[in-house]
Amino acid sequence: MTERPMRKFPRGTTKDAAPYIDLIQKFASGKIAAPEFETAYLLLFQSENKVLPDTVEQPLNDLFYAVDDYVEDPQLRADVNGLDDDQVRDRAASALRLLVAAVVETDPPNDN
């Protein structure tokens, strides 16, 4: 059996969090609804092709699991003990705080 080589991803930086921060801000502020956020976040997350710093990757992973547990239909949500819109929005807001802190910590503003 031939072993497949592992796919190597380039190293990312905290700046690679920008598209996630933009999307999560839209959702946390109510500009987009949970179903739209679910679709957009899963597409963005699953298309990521960089190895992100832990301070970025961990909140994104945690949010991925919350989004994966999101169930729009109330009846089905009750049956599977899924998360509702507000619960996912709360998790998104928590992830957003961590992501912004990670970016600010590594990329302080230039006061020149």
Side-chain angles (χ1 to χ4, degrees):
M1 183 166 121
T2 306
E3 218 175 291
R4 285 179 54 191
M6 284 190 60
R7 186 171 168 199
K8 301 242 182 195
F9 291 106
R11 275 225 156 303
T13 67
T14 56
K15 292 178 186 196
D16 294 310
Y20 294 99
I21 290 172
D22 183 54
L23 177 62
I24 296 167
Q25 282 176 329
K26 287 177 184 170
F27 177 54
S29 68
K31 290 181 181 171
I32 61 173
E36 183 181 350
F37 175 73
E38 175 189 31
T39 301
Y41 186 79
L42 292 175
L43 285 171
L44 181 61
F45 185 87
Q46 292 172 338
S47 67
E48 183 59 60
N49 62 359
K50 294 184 180 112
V51 176
L52 300 172
D54 289 342
T55 56
V56 171
E57 184 177 351
Q58 191 59 54
L60 294 178
N61 281 339
D62 291 345
L63 184 54
F64 171 81
Y65 291 119
V67 171
D68 192 48
D69 286 344
Y70 169 70
V71 181
E72 183 179 5
D73 180 88
Q75 180 67 41
L76 181 57
R77 183 183 325 122
D79 293 344
V80 298
N81 198 27
L83 299 179
D84 66 19
D85 296 37
D86 291 333
Q87 290 170 311
V88 175
R89 188 169 279 110
D90 288 344
R91 304 272 178 95
S94 294
L96 181 60
R97 284 190 294 277
L98 293 170
L99 291 169
V100 169
V103 171
V104 168
E105 182 178 298
T106 58
D107 299 326
N110 188 356
D111 293 331
N112 290 337

